[in-house]
């Protein structure tokens, strides 16, 4: 898959690589990041596997994982991915998103989503972009709805988590024809 860098005012999204191991591990240390996540980075080995698995998925054309770099400090503060990429169906999922808690409730998530959605709809011409989250993760659902994504339903007992819990997954989407309104909304958040 081609090399993609997405550059915004607050953040830059760079392709995940092995050179990101130490800063990724440092950014991932706060345990509260992982409360509702299916994938968890709770050890250095987890960080190594996260990078190895992400690179393999990109090489196979399944996902495109990024690290999130805060532009002012040039510090790695999280990760996000274009997932389940289906060019034949013109659809994908934005997911595996996490940030260091110091960047929660800031412009970071809005700008990351703007950059990812813009690439999905305007460069790759996707018809549909999907978001999925744990039914218990109200914070994530609120953030997804705030983007302008439409709730579609719940996939019951969709995923077995590392601790054995079987989660229900809430699915949201944005369609190509909804993108102009979502884009205006996100740009409005960033202009404040």
């Amino acid at each position: 898959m081609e090399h993609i860098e997405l550059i915004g005012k607050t953040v830059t999204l760079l392709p995940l690589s092995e050179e990101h191991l130490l800063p990724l591990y440092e950014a991932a240390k706060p345990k509260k990041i992982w409360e509702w996540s299916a994938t968890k980075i709770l050890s250095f080995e987890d960080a190594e596997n996260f990078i190895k698995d992400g690179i393999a998925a990109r090489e196979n054309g399944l996902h495109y994982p990024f690290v999130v770099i805060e532009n002012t400090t040039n510090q790695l503060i999280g990760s996000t991915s274009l997932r389940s990429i289906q060019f034949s169906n013109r659809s994908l999922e934005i997911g595996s998103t996490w940030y260091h808690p110091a960047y929660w409730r800031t412009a970071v998530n809005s700008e990351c989503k703007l950059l990812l959605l813009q690439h999905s709809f305007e460069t790759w011409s996707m018809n549909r972009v999907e978001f999925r989250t744990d039914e218990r993760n109200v914070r994530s659902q609120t953030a997804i709805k705030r983007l302008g994504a439409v709730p579609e339903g719940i996939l019951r007992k969709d995923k077995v988590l590392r601790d054995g819990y079987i989660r229900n997954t809430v699915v949201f989407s944005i369609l190509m024809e909804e993108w102009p309104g979502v884009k205006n909304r996100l740009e409005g958040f960033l202009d404040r």
Side-chain angles (χ1 to χ4, degrees):
M1 199 170 276
E2 83 262 32
H3 180 86
I4 302 168
E5 290 185 17
L6 303 174
I7 302 168
K9 207 164 68 174
T10 305
V11 295
T12 297
L13 305 183
L14 299 175
L16 177 71
S17 72
E18 291 169 355
E19 73 184 41
H20 296 124
L21 178 59
L22 286 175
L24 182 110
Y25 174 64
E26 288 301 317
K29 282 186 173 177
K31 299 275 188 266
K32 65 182 178 177
I33 295 171
W34 311 109
E35 183 177 11
W36 308 114
S37 296
T39 303
K40 299 180 189 308
I41 301 175
L42 302 175
S43 67
F44 191 77
E45 182 182 3
D46 287 345
E48 289 176 315
N49 290 332
F50 182 86
I51 289 177
K52 182 183 70 165
D53 295 346
I55 291 170
R58 181 175 58 233
E59 289 171 354
N60 291 324
L62 303 173
H63 307 315
Y64 201 103
F66 295 93
V67 291
V68 180
I69 306 295
E70 198 278 325
N71 290 339
T72 306
T73 62
N74 204 34
Q75 191 170 15
L76 192 156
I77 61 167
S79 182
T80 190
S81 294
L82 298 171
R83 303 175 43 81
S84 305
I85 301 166
Q86 299 178 45
F87 287 109
S88 60
N89 289 323
R90 295 174 49 198
S91 70
L92 60 77
E93 175 191 349
I94 293 175
S96 297
T97 300
W98 61 270
Y99 310 110
H100 187 282
Y103 297 91
W104 292 0
R105 298 182 183 273
T106 68
V108 166
N109 188 54
S110 294
E111 188 165 65
C112 283
K113 295 307 186 288
L114 175 64
L115 293 169
L116 293 167
L117 288 163
Q118 191 163 15
H119 186 81
S120 299
F121 289 120
E122 297 177 16
T123 302
W124 282 353
S125 300
M126 292 294 171
N127 284 324
R128 169 190 169 80
V129 174
E130 183 175 288
F131 301 85
R132 294 175 176 225
T133 191
D134 190 309
E135 181 180 41
R136 301 167 296 168
N137 190 345
V138 175
R139 188 177 61 79
S140 179
Q141 289 179 56
T142 301
I144 294 168
K145 286 178 192 169
R146 184 174 178 265
L147 300 173
V150 175
E152 293 188 329
I154 297 173
L155 302 175
R156 301 178 303 154
K157 296 194 177 212
D158 177 53
K159 204 171 266 203
V160 179
L161 303 183
R162 191 169 166 172
D163 63 3
Y165 181 83
I166 303 171
R167 89 171 197 185
N168 293 335
T169 300
V170 183
V171 180
F172 297 82
S173 71
I174 298 171
L175 304 179
M176 171 67 93
E177 55 269 25
E178 297 163 343
W179 167 235
V182 170
K183 183 177 183 178
N184 286 339
R185 182 183 183 96
L186 288 171
E187 288 174 341
F189 293 157
L190 296 171
D191 287 340
R192 291 182 188 160

